[in-house]
Amino acid sequence: MDSIKIRGARVHNLKNISVEIPRDKFVVITGVSGSGKSSLAFDTIYAEGQRRYMESLSSYARQFLGLPDKPDVELIEGLSPAIAINQKTTNNNPRSTVGTVTEIYDYLRLLFARIGKPHCPKCGKPVKSQSVDQILAQILKLDDGTKFLLLAPIVNQKKGTHKDVLEKLSAAGFVRVKVDGKICDLGEKISLAKTKKHSIELVVDRLIVRDGIRSRLADSLETALKFGEGIAFVETDAAILTFSEKNACVDCGISLPDITPQLFSFNSPKGACPKCNGLGKIFDVRDWSTMFEWMAAVHDFKTTDLPEDVCPACHGHRLNPEALSVRVGNLNIAQVVDMSVDACKKFFSTLELDDTDKKIAAQVLKEINSRLQFLCDVGLDYLTLSRKSATLSGGESQRIRLATQIGSALTGVLYVLDEPSIGLHQHDNQKLLATLKNLRDLGNTLIVVEHDEETIRAADHIVDIGRGAGKSGGEVIAQGIADEISRVEKSLTGDYLSGRKKILVPLTRRQSEQTLTFTDANKNNLKNISVTLPLNALTLITGVSGSGKSTLVEEIIYPRLRETDLTTFGISKVTMIDQDPIGRTPRSNIATYTGVADHIRKLFAATNGAKIRGYKAGRFSFNVKGGRCESCGGNGVLKIPMNFLPDVYVTCDVCKGARFNAETLEVKYKDKNISDVLNMPVDEALEFFANVPTIKRMLQVLHDVGLGYIELGQSANTFSGGEAQRVKLAYELARPLGRAANIYIMDEPTTGLHFDDVKKLIDVIQRLVNRGDTVIIIEHNLDVIKCADYIIDLGPDGGSRGGEIVACGTPEDVANVAKSYTGQALKKILF
Ligand code: ADP
Ligand code: ADP
Ligand code: ZN
């Protein structure tokens, strides 16, 4: 089979479509937001792949996993095992780090266990181990005739009378001990001060070096090592020699445990710092509110941003002192994982090893190096291996999983990806594309939902869904390579690829009269920079991934703006507009979120029908008892739990999905009942309520931001991140401004947006600025960047090589700064 054949797909808005997707190719699915791309890629193709995989498992396994719903599709042929790499699944396990998820940490543990050089955790001197034969040979090398005592250390500087120890030695048949440096007879009474520290060595043998002592010495040495727990002293007139069979510091008397890979695991009791249990932080459990956080951390259910203290025992390194005393190339494992991926790569490529170690480590180093390289290939060279997964952005964790997949070298897999270019600067895009092609060349099929022009142009095959969104979408508009899509007049993607439509560069840039300055910005990688922010303007924060954009905005600008009294600038509030869901229950929708629902209910309550029956506005809400259908509680559907099978939803047979009871539905406003109204898409409602200014105003803005296809009653939990964000924008835009203006902050608002959606988004943002608001945006999309009034470009690179201002000013100014990657990209499109 050289293709995946899909027939009769009807998931969500898909209009019974049939598509053929070539296998072992890099396939991009495009289309405007809400056109049905995810419905095809994730909810149809991936869901079916997943379901078939589950079906192939034993019924025993299935009862734990549950069987997912069969997607509404007639037939899919040529499917292989599918892996989805999307941005939503973030890892909240506090023990999970970049090192552990990429498996690099597992290889490092192996490396440290095999060739690591132990040092004394107390004094730092190298610690060696010798075999009995090696020790024997060293003693026999002493000058002929040398007299010596063979001693075994029993007590090392410990308080007490040590009566039981001495009795035991006597019972074992020994005659002499050395107590605090003096030889004593075990047959006599030895009384030691209980409150003082003492040292006791057992005298195992007295010998003179000469031919013929070898076998007696060997016996005695074994005895000494047994009683000395691996350590023996040889005392001559001139010196005391110490020998250790295990990894022990002969000076401090500390012996190290066996050096195994588990010793380096902060998830194992063998390796974890005993004080913090391997978390690196401690939580003050005397305070009950942090108690919960502590339990959450220990039981891996959630991480938080609450203050935690770095563990004083391990200083956040998570491992016990023994583990941290083992070094490779003079660094311990914690120091290695605290370096950036880039620095780590350099460290291992210049690591000098002796021939034996080189041989032992060759395979492990190969695995480590290739994985580090994959991380560089997806533009993450600035991350440290110790970075907690929970602190990564969606795009970063997606790209890590991508890098991990290449490392796993699977073939014949179908990968389904969701906008892998998110969070990535133009500068790093080529590397990502090379990685995707690499995955394809290993013999895999890639289906990528993407809007980035470079990615679209690089695809082997494009499936363009549209033409519009929601009910106006759900069809395959064009297929082929970029040039073929360009020629299809009906395709919106084609419009932009061909240049029939484009996002225009504004003719002028706004000049601000007022500015705000933020000095001493030095969180994360920021190098104590000062930034100036123009008010009543559109400011873009740009720079490669890891350059410090989010840090600047989320940890400096936003909190400081919130602390500042902005009323003197005529500003009333600062708002972040993110892509988080606008409601988590199926009961919220755009009507309830925007307040339109209230107005609609009042309209219904004011009709004659309602007045005759005595119905108040609340009667027209499906969230409260009264007017809703009580059989389904206003849900319109009933959930039927099926135990080992997936839950089944059936339309409520009482209200037939209308969500209200028959009496309520008899009340009509302009011939429509409340249920009809909730089923209307925004655009239809806009005409229907044309004479009601309060409702029309809100709906008009929803239409303007490109959400005309969303039904008023559609559950908010079905919205994509981009849709949710635009609902929030529309809500802000529709609010009467009053006297004071607002500051809005957005992080990559183009996520999930097609060229045509981006155009609408820019229009909305410009409208906000035109009416007096200030907008600050973190963005990589050049179509947005070129529309800025002012750009703050961070870099030059990621991590420690970033955090500085590389350029700032208008897009034209930045385009003229040669060392700015953003400038280089702007130069190509502006001049
Ligand atoms: P895209 O990925 O192209 O942005 P989607 O496939 O997510 O679009 O959505 C296509 C349409 O289906 C949109 O109108 C969206 O609101 C709707 N939709 C998405 N998920 C659901 C769902 N779980 N239930 C009902 N409608 C949905
Ligand atoms: P950008 O938004 O430009 O991609 P960030 O501000 O997210 O960059 O990151 C800048 C630097 O700070 C990077 O080196 C990143 O790894 C580091 N960093 C960001 N967040 C954290 C965090 N929570 N803990 C430790 N380091 C962080
Ligand atoms: Zn600790």
Side-chain angles (χ1 to χ4, degrees):
M1 287 240 198
D2 51 10
S3 69
I4 301 169
K5 291 195 181 74
I6 299 139
R7 206 168 69 205
R10 292 174 295 260
V11 172
H12 303 148
N13 70 335
L14 298 181
K15 293 185 182 143
N16 199 20
I17 58 173
S18 298
V19 209
E20 201 171 321
I21 290 175
R23 285 177 56 103
D24 302 334
K25 296 283 186 235
F26 169 26
V27 179
V28 167
I29 301 187
T30 59
V32 296
S33 172
S35 60
K37 301 179 296 296
S38 318
S39 301
L40 177 62
F42 287 94
D43 305 323
T44 305
I45 301 173
Y46 171 68
E48 179 62 9
Q50 199 56 2
R51 201 188 60 86
R52 287 192 194 170
Y53 167 71
M54 303 269 232
E55 229 174 26
S56 72
L57 299 176
S58 69
S59 52
Y60 177 76
R62 271 186 320 208
Q63 72 178 24
F64 296 110
L65 296 166
L67 203 59
D69 287 320
K70 180 162 172 40
D72 189 358
V73 55
E74 206 169 294
L75 176 88
I76 303 188
E77 270 176 7
L79 209 54
S80 21
I83 295 178
I85 310 183
N86 51 24
Q87 304 182 12
K88 281 167 198 155
T89 43
T90 48
N91 191 337
N92 277 333
N93 180 344
R95 291 176 188 273
S96 160
T97 65
V98 171
T100 62
V101 295
T102 55
E103 293 172 354
I104 294 176
Y105 197 74
D106 296 324
Y107 286 103
L108 284 177
R109 292 197 290 133
L110 191 59
L111 182 77
F112 273 76
R114 296 295 175 260
I115 66 161
K117 304 284 174 268
H119 290 70
C120 173
K122 198 166 157 203
C123 68
K125 273 193 233 111
V127 164
K128 277 213 181 93
S129 62
Q130 294 175 300
S131 66
V132 179
D133 282 342
Q134 283 173 319
I135 299 173
L136 196 61
Q138 268 184 281
I139 300 174
L140 290 172
K141 258 193 252 160
L142 294 171
D143 290 341
D144 247 20
T146 309
K147 282 192 201 164
F148 66 92
L149 289 178
L150 183 62
L151 306 169
I154 306 293
V155 173
N156 184 17
Q157 288 295 309
K158 265 199 199 128
K159 278 185 194 165
T161 61
H162 304 296
K163 214 173 125 208
D164 51 339
V165 173
L166 294 166
E167 270 167 15
K168 250 187 227 155
L169 293 175
S170 173
F174 292 104
V175 208
R176 286 180 200 88
V177 285
K178 234 179 137 177
V179 177
D180 299 330
K182 258 181 26 217
I183 303 247
C184 305
D185 204 323
L186 276 168
E188 288 160 20
K189 192 169 159 25
I190 304 170
S191 39
L192 302 178
K194 198 177 165 184
T195 53
K196 290 212 174 105
K197 284 184 183 165
H198 305 284
S199 290
I200 302 173
E201 288 105 43
L202 174 66
V203 180
V204 180
D205 208 347
R206 286 203 279 198
L207 284 160
I208 298 173
V209 181
R210 70 159 93 96
D211 284 350
I213 65 160
R214 188 185 172 98
S215 73
R216 173 165 161 190
L217 177 60
D219 280 351
S220 299
L221 184 61
E222 223 159 282
T223 308
L225 289 170
K226 186 173 145 222
F227 281 85
E229 290 183 349
I231 299 180
F233 299 142
V234 168
E235 185 178 334
T236 67
D237 291 339
I240 299 178
L241 307 172
T242 323
F243 298 98
S244 162
E245 187 192 20
K246 290 192 193 157
N247 288 315
C249 176
V250 289
D251 294 335
C252 305
I254 297 175
S255 32
L256 295 175
D258 284 344
I259 303 179
T260 62
Q262 284 97 305
L263 178 65
F264 304 100
S265 166
F266 41 80
N267 291 327
S268 154
K270 289 210 173 79
C273 165
K275 176 124 182 129
C276 64
N277 286 321
L279 288 168
K281 311 250 194 240
I282 49 167
F283 302 86
D284 187 355
V285 287
R286 283 163 304 176
D287 173 355
W288 75 266
S289 66
T290 63
M291 171 95 171
F292 173 74
E293 307 305 333
W294 175 78
M295 283 171 56
V298 170
H299 297 289
D300 290 357
F301 51 80
K302 176 170 155 281
T303 55
T304 68
D305 302 323
L306 276 193
E308 314 145 312
D309 286 325
V310 172
C311 171
C314 65
H315 306 288
H317 292 321
R318 300 163 163 237
L319 293 171
N320 62 34
E322 290 77 15
L324 291 174
S325 70
V326 181
R327 303 183 201 160
V328 167
N330 220 20
L331 294 184
N332 68 33
I333 195 164
Q335 290 167 318
V336 171
V337 297
D338 276 345
M339 290 193 281
S340 67
V341 165
D342 196 38
C344 238
K345 224 178 78 196
K346 277 198 199 99
F347 171 74
F348 283 116
S349 62
T350 56
L351 184 63
E352 282 182 17
L353 298 174
D354 65 30
D355 287 346
T356 318
D357 283 355
K358 219 180 247 166
K359 230 177 173 165
I360 298 172
Q363 192 57 35
V364 186
L365 280 175
K366 206 177 128 217
E367 299 290 341
I368 293 174
N369 285 327
S370 64
R371 280 169 173 75
L372 290 171
Q373 185 59 48
F374 295 145
L375 286 172
C376 295
D377 290 346
V378 294
L380 296 174
D381 57 344
Y382 59 92
L383 291 179
T384 63
L385 295 176
S386 60
R387 177 78 174 272
K388 282 195 197 172
S389 305
T391 67
L392 297 168
S393 69
E396 282 172 336
S397 51
Q398 187 191 34
R399 276 180 280 138
I400 285 180
R401 271 175 288 141
L402 197 58
T404 311
Q405 288 301 329
I406 308 173
S408 73
L410 290 172
T411 68
V413 173
L414 169 65
Y415 288 104
V416 188
L417 285 94
D418 182 14
E419 280 201 276
S421 73
I422 288 307
L424 212 51
H425 191 272
Q426 214 71 14
H427 180 67
D428 289 326
N429 227 353
Q430 286 302 332
K431 283 197 267 184
L432 176 70
L433 287 174
T435 302
L436 293 175
K437 288 182 180 164
N438 188 348
L439 207 51
R440 170 199 64 193
D441 295 341
L442 288 169
N444 302 298
T445 306
L446 270 79
I447 296 184
V448 182
V449 173
E450 186 56 273
H451 304 96
D452 173 68
E453 182 170 344
E454 241 180 328
T455 313
I456 295 174
R457 293 199 183 274
D460 300 323
H461 188 81
I462 300 161
V463 179
D464 187 41
I465 307 285
R467 162 179 165 101
K471 280 183 186 157
S472 336
E475 287 179 85
V476 178
I477 300 296
Q479 283 205 69
I481 56 165
D483 282 345
E484 291 166 315
I485 306 286
S486 300
R487 287 198 288 271
V488 179
E489 299 264 334
K490 220 181 123 195
S491 161
L492 266 170
T493 309
D495 284 346
Y496 285 88
L497 289 178
S498 64
R500 290 192 294 273
K501 276 193 174 186
K502 55 167 91 94
I503 294 172
L504 297 173
V505 179
L507 296 174
T508 56
R509 311 287 179 191
R510 293 181 189 85
Q511 298 278 322
S512 279
E513 281 148 32
Q514 284 181 312
T515 59
L516 287 173
T517 299
F518 304 86
T519 59
D520 306 320
N522 53 18
K523 284 262 167 64
N524 290 336
N525 69 336
L526 295 181
K527 308 261 158 64
N528 215 28
I529 55 174
S530 288
V531 294
T532 297
L533 187 75
L535 294 178
N536 189 14
L538 170 58
T539 298
L540 267 288
I541 316 284
T542 59
V544 296
S545 184
S547 59
K549 302 180 297 296
S550 320
T551 305
L552 177 65
V553 172
E554 285 161 26
E555 307 206 25
I556 307 287
I557 297 181
Y558 182 63
R560 291 201 198 166
L561 281 175
R562 303 216 55 153
E563 282 165 12
T564 315
D565 176 15
L566 296 167
T567 49
T568 52
F569 296 95
I571 292 167
S572 65
K573 70 180 172 70
V574 186
T575 311
M576 284 255 195
I577 300 186
D578 54 26
Q579 296 209 349
D580 288 351
I582 58 173
R584 289 180 196 277
T585 75
R587 291 181 177 279
S588 49
N589 52 50
I590 42 173
T592 57
Y593 182 83
T594 59
V596 161
D598 290 333
H599 295 296
I600 294 175
R601 283 196 287 270
K602 278 183 203 144
L603 274 185
F604 271 90
T607 58
N608 283 334
K611 283 185 188 151
I612 295 167
R613 292 172 175 82
Y615 292 170
K616 298 272 174 330
R619 179 92 197 185
F620 302 94
S621 161
F622 56 73
N623 285 330
V624 293
K625 281 190 185 169
R628 72 180 180 192
C629 169
E630 275 314 320
S631 168
C632 60
N635 286 312
V637 289
L638 293 172
K639 181 165 133 178
I640 308 198
M642 303 293 280
N643 298 330
F644 300 143
L645 292 169
D647 294 337
V648 171
Y649 289 88
V650 294
T651 306
C652 172
D653 60 353
V654 175
C655 68
K656 307 271 182 288
R659 312 174 94 174
F660 292 88
N661 60 33
E663 295 73 39
T664 312
L665 293 176
E666 275 169 21
V667 179
K668 303 235 164 100
Y669 171 79
K670 281 175 60 180
D671 269 0
K672 301 272 184 199
N673 65 33
I674 182 71
S675 179
D676 297 333
V677 168
L678 289 177
N679 285 333
M680 283 182 192
V682 167
D683 283 349
E684 197 182 321
L686 190 57
E687 274 174 48
F688 186 73
F689 291 112
N691 302 324
V692 189
T694 43
I695 297 179
K696 188 186 165 210
R697 179 185 160 86
M698 187 66 237
L699 294 178
Q700 180 65 49
V701 185
L702 285 167
H703 165 88
D704 292 349
V705 300
L707 295 174
Y709 62 93
I710 302 249
E711 290 171 9
L712 296 189
Q714 184 177 333
S715 294
N717 63 358
T718 65
F719 293 171
S720 67
E723 285 173 336
Q725 187 173 44
R726 279 183 290 157
V727 173
K728 294 178 197 177
L729 268 176
Y731 177 67
E732 293 295 332
L733 203 54
R735 275 148 55 113
L737 189 57
R739 261 165 294 137
N742 306 302
I743 297 180
Y744 294 111
I745 298 178
M746 306 171 82
D747 189 352
E748 277 211 278
T750 64
T751 304
L753 302 191
H754 184 265
F755 307 102
D756 205 53
D757 303 313
V758 172
K759 187 175 180 158
K760 289 176 185 151
L761 176 82
I762 294 172
D763 288 345
V764 179
I765 290 167
Q766 298 289 19
R767 274 171 67 181
L768 287 169
V769 183
N770 284 341
R771 71 175 195 180
D773 294 335
T774 301
V775 181
I776 304 164
I777 302 178
I778 299 177
E779 189 55 84
H780 296 102
N781 184 308
L782 280 174
D783 279 327
V784 181
I785 297 175
K786 74 184 184 194
C787 293
D789 296 314
Y790 192 75
I791 294 174
I792 299 171
D793 187 45
L794 298 179
D797 290 289
S800 58
R801 284 177 285 120
E804 290 176 62
I805 295 178
V806 178
C808 59
T810 62
E812 288 74 19
D813 294 338
V814 173
N816 281 318
V817 178
K819 67 172 195 264
S820 157
Y821 296 130
T822 307
Q824 290 166 15
L826 275 174
K827 195 160 190 163
K828 289 191 198 134
I829 56 168
L830 285 183
F831 306 129

